[in-house]
Amino acid sequence: MDEKECVFDWEANGLNDGFRYPHQIAIIDNDNESICNTYNMRLPHYELPGPIALYKTNTNWKKTKENHPSLYEIMPSILDDLLSYDIIWAYNYSYDKGVLEESLFNTGRSPYLYKDKIVCDAMPFISIASILYPEVIKIPMIEGERRGKKGIYNSHKLENVYKENFTDDDELTWHVAESDIIATSRLLQKIKLEAPDFWSFRTRMFSKFAREDIFSKRAVWIRYYQDKKQMFPMLPIYERDRDNYFSIDLEKYEKEGGFQEKHKNQIIKVGSGKSKTLPDWLHSSYIKTGGIILDASWFNLPIKYDLPENSDLLEIKNLIGEHLSDLQIWPEKDEKYLEKSRFGFPPREDLGSWDSFHKAETWDEKVQIRFKDARSKRIAKRIIFDNAPEVLDDNAYKIIEEFIKERWKSIGPDQRPMKNYDSGKTWVTIPTALENIRKCEMEDNLEENSELDINCLNGYKEYLLDLNEQLK
């Protein structure tokens, strides 16, 4: 039986990890464009709409507060749809995966419910196809600025890629989930029909089983940087655990002149804790990365490389085993925000309680269910407050109410706008939302924003000022 494939896309309230609250998701069958479902949900009552995210997607701020179902209410329907497919695509999957995991966590579910599916990122897949099959698919070059330098760059922006390959099609409305998944699906179908050999490898580029095979047999694999459409040959050399390896970047290794005494000293110093700098060519490789991983033998790739001498490989491997075998793979995290603590959720001791919570038919029944883990307790109370606050006792209601007031008014360093963080690093606050509205108004006349509509924020400033008065 043929595997079912879909493309999905979220529209959310911002970009910050842990705080990307969605207001829309669309899912399309990759082989039947007519099977396309869009699910709208309101933002949680404790979350303010993010002005910049709304402006950049021409989304009216009132839409996020409309009388749509909550995320908790609509999540079962989304999961029934999404998980009915065997292969799941998204364009720039790291973002959509993050929103999916956060949405599952915030509704009291395991963030990794999708782990038995093959999940593929359409952006690097299409990008590599443009290198191997330039007559089939193209990535446009546009004038722009990166890291402060103006120039002509590859543009992987979905709108630009689609228009480059479907020049006569202007029917799509961009930055709307449904249009984005239609565009992605059509690009994928173009590759499927016109480059079937490449298409047949699609799941192997993202499958954990294919990756385990590549690394276990120590095959040269390709690390891909799509911004510059660069391929780097990598040689696995040491297994740290089932999911993590050390690999040699063969291009950097050759440029450095091979294995030298200074590299040996670098490895020894890192192992002793005297340094944190490994040789530039020694790469920590995580095989579950959301990016693309190729076996270099799969295609006739436009790259050349030489393998190190066996004697050097043996010495490097022995040095790693002696000095780096106990090196910490993942740094310990002290997460001070509930929204960033989804790893390991739900805890084993609360699995039964969450199952009962989801199966309970009324909010009066849900509020009676008890949890042991602090995260579970807080998430359950947030869900209830957002959907049926009247069933909470007075004390629980007051605690959450005060928390929300403080959240909206906060001006701490994590909430203040800074470089690369228009709304701070966390949630949207009243001060940052007002500042972001002013920024949108000031930039609305720029040519790059000619297709954006500042009217989507009409009335939002007044709403925030009124809300601020009420909280005094």
Side-chain angles (χ1 to χ4, degrees):
M1 191 172 82
D2 291 339
E3 293 175 305
K4 293 178 59 183
E5 305 189 33
C6 75
V7 181
F8 79 101
D9 180 68
W10 293 98
E11 296 297 336
N13 200 37
L15 301 175
N16 297 340
D17 179 35
F19 301 90
R20 295 170 284 202
Y21 297 98
H23 54 81
Q24 186 182 77
I25 182 176
I27 304 169
I28 191 170
D29 189 304
N30 196 44
D31 293 304
N32 188 345
E33 195 174 295
S34 66
I35 303 177
C36 181
N37 297 314
T38 300
Y39 303 88
N40 294 299
M41 68 286 300
R42 60 170 173 77
L43 292 179
H45 292 311
Y46 52 80
E47 180 70 5
L48 294 171
I52 290 181
L54 297 173
Y55 175 59
K56 294 295 184 183
T57 58
N58 283 333
T59 301
N60 192 291
W61 72 275
K62 293 180 180 178
K63 180 182 176 182
T64 67
K65 308 294 284 184
E66 286 178 353
N67 193 29
H68 293 304
S70 68
L71 178 62
Y72 182 82
E73 291 172 315
I74 205 168
M75 199 65 183
S77 298
I78 294 173
L79 291 175
D80 285 346
D81 193 345
L82 189 64
L83 300 184
S84 69
Y85 292 92
D86 305 296
I87 301 172
I88 300 172
W89 291 89
Y91 196 86
N92 190 17
Y93 175 68
S94 61
Y95 176 79
D96 291 284
K97 177 178 74 76
V99 179
L100 175 60
E101 291 178 359
E102 291 161 24
S103 298
L104 289 166
F105 175 64
N106 288 326
T107 56
R109 296 174 172 86
S110 167
Y112 312 108
L113 273 179
Y114 61 88
K115 64 182 179 181
D116 63 332
K117 308 295 180 180
I118 298 177
V119 184
C120 306
D121 192 339
M123 185 189 288
F125 180 78
I126 293 168
S127 183
I128 288 181
S130 75
I131 297 175
L132 300 178
Y133 299 89
E135 74 284 359
V136 172
I137 205 86
K138 297 177 176 62
I139 299 297
M141 301 285 290
I142 64 170
E143 186 176 349
E145 183 175 326
R146 291 182 183 173
R147 297 184 179 90
K149 295 182 178 180
K150 292 184 178 180
I152 305 297
Y153 299 100
N154 295 302
S155 174
H156 288 84
K157 184 179 179 182
L158 178 57
E159 178 182 355
N160 294 338
V161 175
Y162 184 81
K163 289 179 178 178
E164 182 75 11
N165 291 278
F166 296 92
T167 55
D168 297 329
D169 186 353
D170 59 357
E171 67 182 35
L172 298 179
T173 302
W174 297 104
H175 308 301
V176 176
E178 184 174 328
S179 289
D180 288 353
I181 60 174
I182 289 173
T184 302
S185 182
R186 289 177 181 174
L187 288 164
L188 292 173
Q189 285 297 314
K190 193 176 194 310
I191 295 172
K192 179 181 180 179
L193 295 173
E194 300 178 36
D197 290 342
F198 182 76
W199 179 257
S200 68
F201 279 89
R202 69 198 182 287
T203 57
R204 276 181 271 182
M205 297 181 194
F206 299 95
S207 165
K208 64 178 181 180
F209 301 111
R211 293 176 177 188
E212 287 171 359
D213 180 62
I214 292 171
F215 280 78
S216 65
K217 69 183 183 183
R218 302 298 191 265
V220 175
W221 61 280
I222 302 301
R223 186 160 57 117
Y224 184 61
Y225 285 167
Q226 64 198 25
D227 280 357
K228 295 184 178 181
K229 297 174 70 174
Q230 291 176 310
M231 299 183 185
F232 297 96
M234 313 290 292
L235 178 67
I237 188 172
Y238 186 88
E239 181 179 357
R240 307 176 71 184
D241 64 20
R242 184 176 177 181
D243 299 329
N244 293 275
Y245 284 74
F246 278 116
S247 297
I248 294 176
D249 184 319
L250 296 175
E251 187 175 291
K252 290 182 178 179
Y253 184 85
E254 184 177 352
K255 286 181 178 179
E256 290 256 346
F259 185 56
Q260 301 174 28
E261 188 69 21
K262 67 177 182 179
H263 300 138
K264 177 179 178 179
N265 293 331
Q266 283 180 297
I267 292 173
I268 293 173
K269 285 184 178 181
V270 171
S272 65
K274 295 180 180 179
S275 172
K276 293 184 178 180
T277 305
L278 289 168
D280 196 35
W281 45 258
L282 190 57
H283 180 263
S284 295
S285 309
Y286 179 51
I287 71 173
K288 290 184 178 178
T289 177
I292 206 164
I293 288 181
L294 309 177
D295 185 320
S297 67
W298 287 348
F299 308 106
N300 183 22
L301 300 175
I303 57 171
K304 294 181 180 180
Y305 57 86
D306 293 314
L307 294 176
E309 295 291 336
N310 287 332
S311 57
D312 288 339
L313 289 175
L314 181 59
E315 185 173 0
I316 295 168
K317 183 177 179 180
N318 289 338
L319 276 169
I320 293 173
E322 182 178 354
H323 299 283
L324 304 181
S325 61
D326 295 328
L327 195 67
Q328 189 176 22
I329 296 176
W330 299 109
E332 294 182 4
K333 290 186 177 182
D334 181 20
E335 299 292 10
K336 60 181 178 179
Y337 299 114
L338 173 65
E339 290 85 350
K340 288 178 170 284
S341 63
R342 60 184 180 271
F343 182 77
F345 183 87
R348 187 179 300 275
E349 63 267 27
D350 282 337
L351 288 175
S353 295
W354 276 115
D355 186 55
S356 298
F357 186 91
H358 297 316
K359 288 180 178 178
E361 296 183 356
T362 69
W363 291 103
D364 285 317
E365 292 174 316
K366 292 181 190 294
V367 79
Q368 299 300 322
I369 295 168
R370 296 292 175 257
F371 298 92
K372 295 180 180 179
D373 181 74
R375 291 176 299 171
S376 293
K377 293 177 182 179
R378 293 179 66 189
I379 290 171
K381 286 181 179 177
R382 286 191 184 187
I383 292 171
I384 294 171
F385 181 89
D386 190 44
N387 291 274
E390 67 279 1
V391 305
L392 290 170
D393 63 54
D394 291 344
N395 185 57
Y397 182 92
K398 184 173 179 60
I399 289 174
I400 296 178
E401 187 179 46
E402 291 302 315
F403 162 77
I404 294 172
K405 290 179 181 179
E406 185 62 32
R407 183 181 176 102
W408 286 346
K409 295 189 297 181
S410 57
I411 53 172
D414 286 349
Q415 286 75 54
R416 290 198 297 269
M418 60 188 75
K419 186 178 181 180
N420 297 327
Y421 293 96
D422 290 319
S423 300
K425 295 182 180 180
T426 57
W427 56 81
V428 180
T429 71
I430 292 176
T432 55
L434 288 169
E435 187 170 334
N436 288 166
I437 291 173
R438 286 193 290 272
K439 180 178 180 180
C440 292
E441 291 172 340
M442 291 173 59
E443 297 180 355
D444 188 55
N445 62 344
L446 297 179
E447 183 179 351
E448 64 191 69
N449 295 329
S450 60
E451 296 183 5
L452 303 182
D453 185 5
I454 194 66
N455 291 326
C456 68
L457 299 178
N458 280 354
Y460 189 26
K461 181 192 299 183
E462 292 72 21
Y463 170 85
L464 291 169
L465 291 172
D466 182 61
L467 183 61
N468 193 50
E469 285 298 314
Q470 294 178 38
L471 297 179
K472 289 182 177 179

